Amino acid sequence: MNSETKQCQNCKQNFIIESEDFDFYKKIEVPPPTFCPECRLQRRMIWRNARVVYKRADSGNFTLFSAFSPDSPLKIYNHDYWWSDAWDPMEYGKEYNFSLGFFKQLNTLMREVPWAAGFNKSSINSPYCNNVYDIKNCYLMFNSGHSEDCMYGTDTLESSHCMDTDKAEKCTKSYELFDCENCYNTFFSSHCKDCVDIWFGFNLVDCHNCFGCVNLKHKKNCIFNKQVSEKEFKEFIGNSKLGSYESVLQFKKKFEDQKMGFPVRFMHGTNNVKVSGDYVSYSKGCRNVFYSKDLENCSWCSLILFMPGKDSHDMTVAGGELCYEIEEGGGYNMKSTWYSGSVGSGGVTMNVEYSMNCHSCSNIFACVGLRNKEYCIFNKQYSKEEYQSLKKKIIEDMNKNPYIDAKGREYRYGEFFPSELSPFAYNETLAYEFFPLTKDEILKQGYMWKEMEEKRYTPTKKHNELPDDINDVSDDILADIIECAHKEKCNHGCTSAFRIVKQELDFYKEAGLPLPHLCHNCRHCERTSQRNPLKLWNRQCQCVGTKSENGIYTNTAKHHHEGKCSNEFETSYSPEREEIVYCADCYQAEVA
């Protein structure tokens, strides 16, 4: 089938469905989408609360830490009880009523079956974390795993003794990182790999003892990209007063100015073959994928960090093979599922559709909260033949009597869950982080907005009253409530005030770092402001070559062109950005 242009029923913009997309939809037996790729991604993200957490009571009136607010319509159990055999989700089973509509009945089941307060599996001494697996001695970590002694991190894997990290993997004793891998003793840095003893680094590979450096490989003892001796480097570090908050602010500004004078590669990532997107590694044959690794023949996928993906479309925080429109989880032949899969459950999940919070199940349709079950529909057990027959009839009913939301958007078979049925408000979710909207815009587009509880903290110390140097900080600071410098005058989910805990203070003192002046939410938003949007633009390489005094280009031995490079590419750097964007060849020729 040839490619086809359609109008998105959500944003009303045209989008193209390619011939290979039609082949995929035919293979997994779903109709082509009626939402464009960006609106599909936004719709999935509305179903994931990534970093907003609450103290609330469970069904037994015990206080716990939860991703669901106290006024959520869902019934909440504590994590360990939910995963136990003390209750049976099959007791909530219902027969399908062909007069009520599919999504209305699924929404009722979602509200009746209990939910765990959050996902915190195989963890030790890490109660104040969510969407985490196999962590130890961690505090306020989110979407992270296989790490220990870490704090205030998101998308952090296989790391230890780190603080304030986003998209960090295999890092140790590091602070304020974004998109770094296998770094040790690295601070205020981004896009660095295999580095040791780095301050203010950007796009460094296999570098040691570097400060304020950009686009270097295999270098040692460099200060703002200038080579110095080991002695000179140590003297510079010793004289830089890096334990001073004001000194660090000055270096941050100088470093940002330094970065803008260097070209950037059109795409972040390594070890890719025929991949479009950004922040992608170890993948091949993929289109429009972001913040992911270990993908093969996948399209429109994002935030795939815990599981590999193959031959799949439209996955977010998930993984698997032959999957489509899944948010969180994954397995084999998963379609239109939320928070369902095999991670942490020890079994295989396959052939699952329109189900929520189901684990290690196979051949289930429209179920909630099941584990180790098969041939179930609406949490009711059927034989294989009964299951297949009823499923076919329900799909026919979904197409004949589609769900129509408040904005007139139609949901037939093949569409992900309607946004208005999500138990989260828009400003609690990943969508708010990646597709920020004002309150008025959110309500106008038919999404929910939640008024966050007013903070009633009474700070005992203002941010500008903190000691400037870490050497002047005593343990008395542990008793203080510190005012966040943003004072809730931002869109970062500011907590208005924060405390310094003992583990955190020990980290600052050992590393020689000043105390922060922002709460952990505002620090997270400052780090993630470095990342590019989940969108691609067609651009041409901006490399123009280098002329000698006689007007002859002298760098052609390294570059593939004379004069301006003619290479074109898709990039997440919009044309309005100030960065100098190079193609892969020109960037490789320029980087030391």
Side-chain angles (χ1 to χ4, degrees):
M1 187 173 183
N2 296 327
S3 62
E4 182 178 327
T5 299
K6 287 196 171 188
Q7 184 185 70
C8 174
Q9 67 161 317
N10 184 55
C11 69
K12 308 306 180 184
Q13 299 298 310
N14 289 338
F15 67 101
I16 298 175
I17 301 178
E18 303 287 356
S19 59
E20 57 263 41
D21 296 325
F22 283 112
D23 292 340
F24 174 78
Y25 302 138
K26 182 178 180 180
K27 184 176 183 178
I28 65 169
E29 300 180 320
V30 297
T34 64
F35 281 52
C36 70
E38 188 169 288
C39 289
R40 298 199 301 268
L41 173 58
Q42 182 185 33
R43 181 174 59 182
R44 291 194 301 276
M45 285 185 167
I46 289 172
W47 286 79
R48 180 172 175 81
N49 177 347
R51 300 187 74 260
V52 181
V53 288
Y54 304 90
K55 280 186 177 180
R56 61 162 294 167
D58 66 4
S59 58
N61 209 31
F62 292 99
T63 301
L64 44 74
F65 193 66
S66 177
F68 302 99
S69 68
D71 57 2
S72 168
L74 303 188
K75 184 188 301 182
I76 303 301
Y77 285 171
N78 74 61
H79 182 273
D80 292 338
Y81 185 80
W82 191 92
W83 283 93
S84 74
D85 295 327
W87 69 285
D88 184 5
M90 296 293 284
E91 292 181 357
Y92 300 86
K94 301 176 181 295
E95 291 193 9
Y96 186 73
N97 188 328
F98 286 89
S99 65
L100 292 180
F102 174 79
F103 283 111
K104 288 183 179 179
Q105 293 178 76
L106 185 58
N107 185 47
T108 298
L109 185 64
M110 177 183 74
R111 292 166 180 249
E112 292 180 353
V113 178
W115 288 72
F119 185 83
N120 189 329
K121 189 77 169 174
S122 302
S123 298
I124 299 173
N125 191 32
S126 306
Y128 300 108
C129 303
N130 191 35
N131 293 320
V132 292
Y133 180 72
D134 186 28
I135 61 172
K136 180 179 179 181
N137 301 331
C138 291
Y139 180 66
L140 289 178
M141 296 290 291
F142 303 94
N143 199 43
S144 299
H146 313 298
S147 299
E148 61 180 284
D149 297 305
C150 292
M151 306 178 71
Y152 310 124
T154 303
D155 303 333
T156 297
L157 305 174
E158 299 182 60
S159 297
S160 65
H161 298 89
C162 289
M163 190 179 301
D164 286 297
T165 54
D166 283 273
K167 200 176 182 295
E169 185 171 357
K170 299 178 182 177
C171 293
T172 307
K173 291 188 176 180
S174 297
Y175 178 69
E176 283 286 359
L177 301 184
F178 175 71
D179 192 25
C180 290
E181 180 180 352
N182 197 32
C183 291
Y184 176 87
N185 215 45
T186 298
F187 310 99
F188 306 105
S189 298
S190 62
H191 310 95
C192 293
K193 184 177 181 181
D194 302 329
C195 291
V196 177
D197 295 332
I198 304 296
W199 288 81
F200 305 102
F202 179 80
N203 195 39
L204 307 181
V205 178
D206 186 30
C207 290
H208 299 242
N209 297 340
C210 290
F211 189 103
C213 293
V214 180
N215 289 359
L216 295 184
K217 290 185 178 181
H218 319 301
K219 295 293 183 179
K220 291 184 179 180
N221 303 315
C222 294
I223 301 173
F224 290 106
N225 282 50
K226 293 183 179 180
Q227 186 70 61
V228 299
S229 67
E230 183 177 353
K231 179 182 178 182
E232 288 173 320
F233 183 83
K234 289 182 177 179
E235 289 177 349
F236 175 84
I237 293 295
N239 295 329
S240 293
K241 299 181 180 180
L242 294 170
S244 161
Y245 183 78
E246 289 300 322
S247 181
V248 166
L249 282 184
Q250 292 174 16
F251 279 124
K252 277 185 176 181
K253 185 180 185 307
K254 185 175 180 180
F255 178 55
E256 289 303 313
D257 293 339
Q258 165 91 343
K259 284 164 57 176
M260 296 308 295
F262 290 82
V264 295
R265 189 175 181 272
F266 77 102
M267 175 183 174
H268 303 89
T270 59
N271 302 94
N272 295 314
V273 178
K274 295 183 179 180
V275 169
S276 70
D278 206 4
Y279 303 100
V280 186
S281 298
Y282 309 104
S283 300
K284 66 178 181 179
C286 295
R287 297 174 298 150
N288 288 75
V289 294
F290 297 88
Y291 303 100
S292 299
K293 64 177 185 176
D294 301 320
L295 297 181
E296 181 178 351
N297 299 328
C298 292
S299 299
W300 321 113
C301 296
S302 58
L303 295 165
I304 313 299
L305 301 175
F306 286 88
M307 294 175 63
K310 183 178 180 181
D311 299 327
S312 297
H313 283 203
D314 292 276
M315 298 191 299
T316 304
V317 198
E321 185 174 353
L322 285 180
C323 294
Y324 175 62
E325 281 279 30
I326 62 174
E327 199 292 312
E328 208 164 346
Y332 180 85
N333 193 32
M334 309 277 287
K335 294 180 284 190
S336 296
T337 61
W338 170 46
Y339 197 44
S340 296
S342 306
V343 176
S345 57
V348 176
T349 303
M350 60 188 299
N351 303 331
V352 173
E353 290 188 73
Y354 285 104
S355 294
M356 306 173 174
N357 200 18
C358 292
H359 307 275
S360 302
C361 296
S362 62
N363 300 298
I364 63 171
F365 189 90
C367 292
V368 179
L370 299 188
R371 285 168 283 154
N372 303 299
K373 299 294 183 181
E374 64 177 343
Y375 300 118
C376 296
I377 296 177
F378 280 91
N379 287 33
K380 186 175 175 61
Q381 186 68 63
Y382 294 92
S383 68
K384 179 179 179 180
E385 293 74 18
E386 291 171 333
Y387 170 84
Q388 292 174 338
S389 176
L390 179 57
K391 175 184 168 183
K392 182 179 180 181
K393 292 177 181 178
I394 293 176
I395 291 174
E396 291 174 351
D397 185 56
M398 293 173 69
N399 290 324
K400 182 180 178 181
N401 301 297
Y403 180 88
I404 301 176
D405 70 12
K407 301 300 290 186
R409 294 169 289 216
E410 295 186 351
Y411 289 81
R412 290 180 167 83
Y413 174 73
E415 298 291 345
F416 192 70
F417 307 107
S419 302
E420 66 184 21
L421 301 185
S422 170
F424 306 118
Y426 191 95
N427 56 319
E428 292 179 294
T429 68
L430 267 183
Y432 189 59
E433 188 167 317
F434 283 91
F435 300 97
L437 300 172
T438 66
K439 176 182 176 180
D440 289 343
E441 290 171 334
I442 289 169
L443 296 176
K444 183 177 180 180
Q445 294 184 31
Y447 306 131
M448 291 187 294
W449 170 270
K450 180 176 176 58
E451 295 293 346
M452 296 302 176
E453 182 180 349
E454 182 181 354
K455 308 298 188 301
R456 300 184 183 276
Y457 305 125
T458 303
T460 60
K461 192 179 291 290
K462 295 184 177 180
H463 68 93
N464 54 11
E465 295 174 341
L466 292 172
D468 177 67
D469 197 291
I470 189 63
N471 293 319
D472 298 325
V473 178
S474 69
D475 285 357
D476 293 343
I477 197 70
L478 301 176
D480 279 314
I481 300 173
I482 303 167
E483 170 197 69
C484 178
H486 284 176
K487 303 177 186 179
E488 292 189 272
K489 296 178 180 179
C490 63
N491 295 318
H492 300 162
C494 179
T495 62
S496 79
F498 61 98
R499 286 185 181 274
I500 303 293
V501 299
K502 184 66 166 61
Q503 181 184 355
E504 180 180 2
L505 181 61
D506 291 344
F507 181 93
Y508 296 138
K509 285 182 172 291
E510 182 181 351
L513 295 163
L515 296 178
H517 286 212
L518 299 176
C519 69
H520 75 97
N521 278 347
C522 291
R523 301 199 302 268
H524 165 76
C525 288
E526 284 205 342
R527 285 191 303 277
T528 55
S529 67
Q530 302 175 73
R531 69 186 173 201
N532 291 1
L534 306 176
K535 188 174 182 179
L536 298 176
W537 287 266
N538 290 312
R539 295 189 62 178
Q540 182 176 335
C541 179
Q542 292 181 280
C543 180
V544 295
T546 303
K547 287 184 179 180
S548 64
E549 292 182 1
N550 60 7
I552 299 175
Y553 287 92
T554 58
N555 67 348
T556 53
K558 295 174 64 178
H559 286 253
H560 64 281
H561 62 93
E562 294 185 6
K564 188 174 182 179
C565 178
S566 61
N567 280 353
E568 295 183 353
F569 43 73
E570 288 185 310
T571 180
S572 60
Y573 290 96
S574 70
E576 295 78 22
R577 298 272 292 261
E578 295 182 12
E579 292 91 345
I580 305 165
V581 184
Y582 277 13
C583 67
D585 292 337
C586 289
Y587 181 82
Q588 186 65 29
E590 286 289 322
V591 175

